[in-house]
């Protein structure tokens, strides 16, 4: 009888150890309460694809996946809802006061033209639509370059050749490029004026004008042949590059080329 009694106790002990080792221990990879996803669900990094603890096995995978997906995606979206960085942008355009100097917040501008966000073709092959700085702000890009032009300005013409050659590369590096034809013959532009400007220089970037018969961009942002570089997360002007209006000097004396060089530096590409 003694022998039978000790064998029975040994069997009970072995069964207890087996039950303990299958209850979710972080060392054995089996499912259970500790492998159900509690440790990774709703992580600040978004968690959309997390499926619980890395040690959760088949028994805890569905609980971990469901919890990680719902809580992580909610956390990810809320963490970027107002940051203006990679997680998202503020819902409203920044309030003023506005200015046109370095460090100022640039005013939202309303234009109409040919919007080419991927710079994959001459702009006139794209739709002719309304476009604004707020559209640029909500594009998901971090930096924008705005170049101001006048058709009869020799420096603007030289800058346009630079935009033809290098504008698409800035867009492909992640930037927003906007050519604004402020005036034609120093008067308000038309759609035909804009089309001719784009066609002459085969501009592959978003190219726009003021809607109607006004010169709002000139009146607000200033003279031709200058470029603004804007941080789209805050709409702060990072730099104002005043170019050469007379067409003299070297190619790098024009605002377009200098601004595109700065954009590449900011974008790291």
């Amino acid at each position: 009888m003694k022998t039978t009694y000790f064998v029975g106790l040994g069997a009970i002990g072995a069964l207890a150890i087996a039950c303990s080792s299958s209850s979710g221990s972080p060392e054995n990879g089996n499912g259970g309460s500790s492998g159900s996803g509690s440790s990774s669900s709703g992580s600040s990094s978004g968690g959309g694809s997390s499926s619980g603890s890395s040690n959760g096995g088949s028994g805890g995978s569905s609980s971990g996946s469901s919890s990680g997906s719902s809580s992580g995606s909610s956390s990810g979206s809320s963490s970027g809802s107002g940051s203006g960085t990679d997680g998202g942008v503020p819902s409203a355009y920044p309030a003023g006061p506005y200015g046109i100097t370095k460090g100022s917040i640039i005013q939202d501008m309303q234009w109409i033209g040919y919007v080419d966000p991927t710079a994959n073709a001459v702009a006139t092959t794209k739709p002719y639509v309304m476009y604004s700085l707020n559209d640029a702000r909500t594009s998901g890009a971090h930096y924008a370059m705005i170049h101001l032009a006048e058709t009869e300005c020799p420096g603007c013409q030289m800058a346009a050749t630079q935009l033809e050659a290098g504008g698409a590369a800035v867009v492909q590096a992640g930037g927003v490029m906007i050519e604004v034809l402020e005036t034609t013959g120093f008067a308000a532009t038309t759609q035909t004026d804009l089309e001719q400007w784009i066609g002459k220089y085969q501009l592959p970037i978003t190219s726009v004008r003021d809607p109607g018969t006004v010169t709002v961009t000139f009146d607000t942002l200033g003279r031709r042949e200058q470029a603004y570089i804007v941080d789209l997360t805050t709409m702060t002007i990072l730099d104002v590059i005043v170019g050469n209006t007379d067409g003299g000097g070297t190619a790098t004396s024009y605002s377009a080329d200098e601004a595109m060089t700065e954009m590449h530096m900011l974008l790291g590409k």
Side-chain angles (χ1 to χ4, degrees):
M1 290 294 292
K2 280 189 176 183
T3 301
T4 303
Y5 175 75
F6 285 119
V7 170
L9 286 179
I12 292 171
L15 178 61
I17 292 171
C19 291
S20 173
S21 65
S22 64
S23 64
S25 169
E27 295 182 8
N28 61 23
N30 291 318
S33 61
S34 68
S36 64
S38 61
S39 65
S40 66
S41 62
S43 71
S44 60
S45 62
S49 63
S50 62
S51 59
S53 164
S54 62
N55 293 318
S58 59
S61 61
S62 68
S63 170
S65 175
S66 171
S67 176
S69 175
S70 61
S71 295
S73 60
S74 170
S75 173
S77 61
S78 64
S79 67
S81 60
S83 65
T85 57
D86 292 340
V89 295
S91 58
Y93 198 93
Y98 302 118
I100 59 172
T101 58
K102 185 176 180 179
S104 301
I105 298 173
I106 193 169
Q107 178 179 325
D108 187 14
M109 303 297 297
Q110 306 293 321
W111 297 303
I112 189 168
Y114 298 94
V115 180
D116 192 356
T118 57
N120 63 354
V122 175
T124 46
T125 64
K126 305 299 180 178
Y128 187 71
V129 295
M130 294 299 297
Y131 184 73
S132 68
L133 275 182
N134 192 52
D135 291 326
R137 181 183 75 88
T138 57
S139 68
H142 197 145
Y143 302 104
M145 172 185 155
I146 307 161
H147 181 259
L148 310 179
E150 147 63 40
T151 56
E152 295 183 10
C153 161
C156 300
Q157 295 166 5
M158 291 296 296
T161 64
Q162 295 173 345
L163 292 172
E164 176 189 6
V170 176
V171 174
Q172 289 156 10
V176 171
M177 294 287 289
I178 307 169
E179 169 77 332
V180 185
L181 187 63
E182 290 188 306
T183 54
T184 294
F186 301 95
T189 62
T190 66
Q191 181 179 357
T192 300
D193 295 331
L194 181 61
E195 289 175 348
Q196 290 175 346
W197 182 253
I198 295 168
K200 182 177 181 180
Y201 299 102
Q202 295 292 286
L203 296 176
I205 60 174
T206 293
S207 301
V208 295
R209 54 176 280 268
D210 291 321
T213 56
V214 294
T215 57
V216 175
T217 303
F218 174 80
D219 298 335
T220 305
L221 300 184
R223 49 154 271 188
R224 66 201 182 279
E225 223 308 77
Q226 64 174 328
Y228 288 86
I229 293 179
V230 179
D231 182 338
L232 294 174
T233 66
T234 61
M235 301 312 293
T236 301
I237 299 170
L238 299 180
D239 204 0
V240 182
I241 301 170
V242 178
N244 187 340
T245 59
D246 63 12
T250 64
T252 55
S253 67
Y254 304 105
S255 66
D257 195 57
E258 292 184 35
M260 287 190 292
T261 298
E262 190 166 333
M263 284 289 285
H264 279 294
M265 292 176 63
L266 288 169
L267 295 165
K269 298 179 182 178

